[in-house]
C-alpha cells in the first residue's frame, strides 16, 4: 500500500523495520499480500515509549472477515493445501521457523516498538516462535488414525481430519508468540486460519504473514484481518463457515466469545486471565526463589497471564524474602525498551497505564505496605516503576484481581493448609508455582492447587512439547503439545462390511 506520513519517531531500528512502518499496513487475505480494508479505514498504532504514532494499519470490517473466510475455505479445497501431503505441510512449518529466525531483528524490533517489551525479551519471544513452528512441523507426519477391534465381519477405522477454517483471536501482550501457538497446530493438522491480532500490537503478526507468504505457504492458508475486537473479532466468532475459534485474552471477553460461539455451534477454545499463586516454603533455595520469581514477575512489565503476582511466603522467611525481592527489583533498569540493557519498558497503552496506576492507589487505600517502587517516572512514555506491596491480605483487590502490570503482592502464611486455602481462593485457575526442596510436598500440593499448570522450583516456563492452559475462569483448553494439535482435528469413524 502507499506510504503514509505519520509523526513517528523511529529510533535506531533496522532499515527493513523502518520501511515496514512507513507503509500503511493492509490486510493479508488470500493472494493479496497487503490489501486495503473494505471501506479504506485505518487506525493508528501508538509507540508506548514515545507516545507518538508508529504507523497506520488497515481497520477491517465484517465484509473483510467474509473475504478472508472465503479465501481460507478456497484454500482448504485447493490441491496446493487441501491436497498437500503431510510432509509438505511439515516443510512449510520448518521453513517458516527458519524464516522467523532469519528475521529475528525485524520481528523483535516491531514487537518492542509496538508494545514496549524490552528488546532482549522480544528476541526471546521470536526465537521461541521458531521452536513452536519446528515442534509443530514434526506433527503432520505423526497424526495417525486407528484400526479398531470391532466385531466380525467388519473393519472399523478412525481417521483424523482437519476442522476446516479456524478463527484465531490474540491478545496484545505476546502478539507473535500467541499467533504461533494457534498457527502452528492449526496448520500441522491441515486447517486454514483467519487471525485477528489485538489492535494495539498487530505489526509482528502482519510481518509473520509476509514470511509465510515468502516461504511459499499457499494463498488463503493464513489470513490476517486487523481491526477492532467488537467488529472484526465478533464477525469471526459469528461466521457460519468458521469451524473453530481459538481465543486468548481476558476472562470477560472470553466469556462473551464462548457464549456467541456456542450459539453458532462452533468449537470454542478460550485461554484467559490468571493470578498465579507463587508459594515459597522455608526449605526452598532462597536465591533461586528471588531470581526466578523476579524474572517471571517483571517480564514484560508484569503484563503476563502467568506472572506470579500473588507471592505467598512462609512466616519463617517472610521478612528476608520481602527484603531480597525489593533489592533485586530496585536494581532493575527502567528505560527505552530498544536498549538491550533495559529490564522494564513502558506498559502497552495509556489505558493500561491508567489502570495500573489506579490499582496502586487502591492497594495503598486498602492498607497494603508499599516496600518498593510505586512511582510513575516523570518522563514521556507509559512507564510504571516495578512495585511491591507487602502484608497484603487475600481479600484486597490487588490480591484478587488481574492488575496486568508491574505490581507484586507478597502475603505471609503459616501452614500448608492455610496456603492451599488462600491459593485456591481465587477467581482464576491458570497457574501456580511451588518452591521447596521437599519433593513429596511439591507433588502433594500440586494436586491440591486448582490450576491448569503448576511449576516447581521455577515459574512461568513454557515448552512447545508440554501443553499449557487453565481451568474454569482461566479457560477451557490447552495450547502447545499434543493436546493442542489434536484440538484442531476431528475424528471420523469409517466402518466396512468385509463380507460384502
Ligand atoms: P482482551 O480480552 O481485551 O482482547 C483479546 C483479543 O480479543 C483482542 O484481539 C481484542 O481485539 C479481541 N476482542 C475484544 N472484544 C472482542 C469481542 N467482543 N469479540 C471478539 N474479539 C474481541 O485481552 P487483552 O487485553 O488483549 O489481553 C490481556 C488478557 O489476556 C489478560 O487477561 C491475560 O491474562 C490474557 N492472556 C491469557 C493468556 C493465556 O494463555 N491464558 C495468554 C496471554 C494473555
Amino acid at each position: 500500500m502507499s506510504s503514509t506520513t505519520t509523526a513517528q519517531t523511529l529510533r535506531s531500528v533496522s532499515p527493513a523495520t523502518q520501511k515496514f512502518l512507513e507503509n500503511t499496513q493492509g490486510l493479508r487475505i488470500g493472494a493479496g499480500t497487503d490489501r486495503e480494508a473494505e471501506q479504506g479505514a485505518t487506525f493508528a498504532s501508538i509507540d508506548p515509549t514515545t507516545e507518538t504514532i508508529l504507523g497506520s494499519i488497515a481497520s477491517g470490517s465484517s465484509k473483510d472477515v467474509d473475504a478472508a473466510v472465503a479465501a481460507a475455505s478456497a484454500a482448504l479445497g485447493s490441491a496446493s493445501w487441501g491436497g498437500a501431503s503431510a510432509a509438505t505441510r511439515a516443510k512449510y512449518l520448518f521453513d517458516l521457523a527458519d524464516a522467523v529466525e532469519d528475521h529475528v531483528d525485524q520481528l523483535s524490533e516491531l514487537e518492542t516498538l509496538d508494545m514496549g517489551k524490552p528488546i532482549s525479551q522480544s528476541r526471546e519471544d521470536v526465537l521461541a516462535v521458531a521452536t513452536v513452528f519446528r515442534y509443530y512441523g514434526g506433527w503432520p507426519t505423526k497424526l495417525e488414525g486407528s484400526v479398531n477391534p470391532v466385531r466380525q465381519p467388519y473393519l472399523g477405522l478412525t481417521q483424523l481430519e482437519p476442522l476446516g477454517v479456524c478463527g484465531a483471536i490474540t491478545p496484545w501482550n505476546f502478539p507473535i508468540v500467541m499467533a504461533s501457538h494457534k498457527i502452528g497446530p492449526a496448520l500441522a493438522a491441515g486447517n486454514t486460519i483467519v487471525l485477528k491480532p489485538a489492535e494495539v500490537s498487530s505489526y509482528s503478526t502482519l510481518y509473520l504473514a509476509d514470511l509465510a507468504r515468502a516461504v511459499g505457504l499457499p494463498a488463503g492458508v493464513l489470513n490476517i484481518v486487523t481491526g477492532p475486537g467488537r467488529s472484526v473479532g465478533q464477525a469471526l466468532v459469528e461466521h457460519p463457515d468458521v469451524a473453530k475459534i481459538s481465543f486468548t485474552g481476558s476472562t470477560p471477553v472470553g466469556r462473551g466469545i464462548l457464549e456467541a460461539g456456542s450459539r453458532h455451534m462452533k468449537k470454542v477454545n478460550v485461554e484467559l486471565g490468571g493470578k498465579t499463586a507463587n508459594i515459597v516454603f522455608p526449605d526452598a533455595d532462597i536465591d533461586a526463589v528471588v531470581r526466578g520469581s523476579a524474572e517471571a514477575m517483571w517480564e514484560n512489565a508484569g503484563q503476563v497471564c502467568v506472572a506470579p503476582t500473588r507471592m505467598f511466603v512462609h512466616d519463617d522467611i517472610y521478612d528476608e524474602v520481602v527484603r531480597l525481592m525489593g533489592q533485586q527489583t530496585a536494581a532493575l533498569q527502567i528505560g527505552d525498551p530498544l536498549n538491550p540493557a533495559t529490564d522494564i519498558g513502558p506498559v502497552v497503552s495509556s489505558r493500561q497505564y491508567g489502570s495500573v496506576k489506579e490499582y496502586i492507589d487502591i492497594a495503598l487505600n486498602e492498607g497494603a505496605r508499599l516496600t518498593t517502587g510505586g512511582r510513575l517516572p516523570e518522563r514521556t512514555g507509559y512507564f510504571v516503576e516495578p512495585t511491591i506491596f507487602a502484608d497484603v491480605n487475600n481479600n484486597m483487590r490487588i490480591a484478587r484481581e488481574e492488575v496486568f502490570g508491574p505490581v507484586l503482592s507478597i502475603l505471609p502464611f503459616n501452614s500448608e493448609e492455610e496456603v492451599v486455602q488462600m491459593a485456591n481462593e481465587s477467581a482464576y485457575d491458570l497457574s501456580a508455582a511451588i518452591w521447596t526442596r521437599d519433593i513429596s510436598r511439591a507433588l502433594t500440593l500440586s494436586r491440591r492447587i486448582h490450576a491448569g499448570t503448576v511449576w516447581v522450583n521455577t515459574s512461568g516456563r513454557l515448552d512447545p512439547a508440554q501443553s499449557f492452559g487453565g481451568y474454569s475462569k482461566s479457560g477451557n483448553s490447552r495450547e502447545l503439545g499434543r493436546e493442542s494439535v489434536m484440538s484442531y482435528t476431528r475424528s471420523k469413524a469409517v466402518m466396512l462390511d468385509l463380507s460384502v
Side-chain angles (χ1 to χ4, degrees):
M1 282 174 83
S2 62
S3 241
T4 179
T5 48
T6 55
Q8 57 184 265
T9 310
L10 284 183
R11 309 187 307 282
S12 52
V13 294
S14 62
T17 303
Q18 291 208 20
K19 189 156 178 283
F20 193 79
L21 292 170
E22 277 161 13
N23 292 329
T24 297
Q25 290 300 321
L27 312 171
R28 306 318 197 246
I29 295 179
T33 49
D34 192 4
R35 102 179 204 176
E36 272 194 38
E38 201 255 336
Q39 288 144 353
T42 61
F43 64 94
S45 183
I46 308 292
D47 177 347
T49 309
T50 59
E51 300 180 43
T52 58
I53 293 175
L54 199 54
S56 204
I57 298 174
S59 185
S61 66
S62 61
K63 290 231 169 73
D64 296 309
V65 170
D66 289 345
V69 173
S73 300
L76 274 178
S78 71
S80 60
W81 182 252
S85 67
T88 302
R89 292 205 306 277
K91 184 159 180 350
Y92 286 131
L93 285 162
F94 291 136
D95 289 350
L96 187 54
D98 291 345
V100 164
E101 271 176 358
D102 290 345
H103 290 78
V104 61
D105 289 344
Q106 293 79 10
L107 285 166
S108 47
E109 284 169 358
L110 286 173
E111 206 79 304
T112 289
L113 288 169
D114 212 7
M115 50 102 40
K117 182 175 293 199
I119 191 82
S120 57
Q121 296 171 21
S122 295
R123 284 185 81 85
E124 276 177 33
D125 284 6
V126 173
L127 296 175
V129 164
T131 69
V132 169
F133 287 140
R134 243 168 233 136
Y135 171 80
Y136 282 110
W139 268 105
T141 52
K142 319 290 183 302
L143 285 171
E144 293 171 342
S146 60
V147 179
N148 307 315
V150 296
R151 65 185 181 276
Q152 295 296 336
Y154 299 103
L155 175 66
L157 307 175
T158 299
Q159 297 172 344
L160 291 183
E161 295 178 344
L163 297 171
V165 178
C166 296
I169 302 176
T170 51
W172 49 258
N173 62 336
F174 282 87
I176 192 167
V177 172
M178 292 296 120
S180 74
H181 286 191
K182 300 178 191 312
I183 295 168
L187 299 197
N191 300 277
T192 57
I193 285 215
V194 178
L195 190 153
K196 191 208 91 67
E199 302 90 299
V200 288
S201 57
S202 302
Y203 277 122
S204 58
T205 307
L206 290 166
Y207 198 99
L208 180 66
D210 293 350
L211 294 181
R213 203 63 208 285
V215 302
L217 191 71
V221 176
L222 171 62
N223 307 275
I224 314 293
V225 184
T226 43
R230 282 187 185 282
S231 48
V232 176
Q234 202 161 325
L236 203 49
V237 174
E238 294 181 351
H239 200 292
D241 297 335
V242 172
K244 163 173 175 163
I245 290 289
S246 173
F247 168 83
T248 303
S250 62
T251 298
V253 174
R255 184 180 290 120
I257 286 178
L258 252 178
E259 285 167 6
S262 308
R263 264 199 312 278
H264 293 269
M265 306 296 281
K266 288 186 198 331
K267 180 167 184 171
V268 184
N269 283 0
V270 293
E271 297 276 346
L272 309 174
K275 193 77 194 168
T276 295
N278 187 29
I279 303 169
V280 186
F281 286 96
D283 67 337
D285 174 338
I286 301 299
D287 283 348
V289 167
V290 172
R291 222 180 320 109
S293 303
E295 196 181 310
M297 180 61 225
W298 307 126
E299 181 187 0
N300 199 20
Q303 303 164 113
V304 180
C305 55
V306 295
T309 49
R310 286 191 301 158
M311 189 170 192
F312 294 100
V313 182
H314 192 274
D315 284 340
D316 290 355
I317 50 166
Y318 185 79
D319 291 339
E320 188 192 1
V321 171
V322 170
R323 183 178 61 77
L324 291 173
M325 283 299 290
Q327 225 173 55
Q328 179 99 3
T329 301
L332 296 174
Q333 190 163 322
I334 307 178
D336 185 340
L338 278 176
N339 179 347
T342 292
D343 300 303
I344 305 261
V347 297
V348 73
S349 61
S350 67
R351 184 167 157 218
Q352 200 61 19
Y353 180 75
S355 161
V356 175
K357 180 174 171 303
E358 198 180 326
Y359 271 109
I360 292 175
D361 292 340
I362 290 168
L364 290 169
N365 289 335
E366 285 184 319
R369 177 164 61 94
L370 177 70
T371 68
T372 311
R375 286 170 310 189
L376 308 170
E378 288 206 6
R379 57 183 294 168
T380 305
Y382 309 126
F383 289 90
V384 181
E385 275 186 352
T387 298
I388 302 180
F389 286 103
D391 305 347
V392 172
N393 75 52
N394 220 23
N395 296 320
M396 292 181 181
R397 283 182 62 190
I398 43 161
R400 294 202 320 265
E401 298 173 18
E402 195 180 33
V403 177
F404 228 59
V407 182
L408 167 66
S409 300
I410 311 189
L411 302 85
F413 75 89
N414 190 256
S415 69
E416 220 169 278
E417 277 314 304
E418 185 193 15
V419 79
V420 168
Q421 192 188 335
M422 288 199 293
N424 286 342
E425 259 171 24
S426 169
Y428 298 101
D429 296 321
L430 185 60
S431 55
I434 300 167
W435 300 83
T436 177
R437 287 191 172 100
D438 180 342
I439 194 67
S440 313
R441 172 193 270 158
L443 291 176
T444 310
L445 241 67
S446 65
R447 283 197 195 154
R448 297 185 65 198
I449 300 284
H450 301 164
T453 300
V454 178
W455 287 286
V456 177
N457 294 330
T458 184
S459 185
R461 298 280 170 220
L462 299 187
D463 188 288
Q466 171 125 323
S467 41
F468 160 81
Y471 293 156
S472 60
K473 296 184 202 70
S474 287
N476 66 358
S477 67
R478 293 291 175 269
E479 293 211 312
L480 300 177
R482 179 178 188 277
E483 272 179 273
S484 182
V485 70
M486 294 306 289
S487 79
Y488 285 91
T489 66
R490 61 185 175 197
S491 69
K492 176 168 284 171
V494 178
M495 197 169 231
L496 290 79
D497 185 339
L498 299 179
S499 66
V500 177

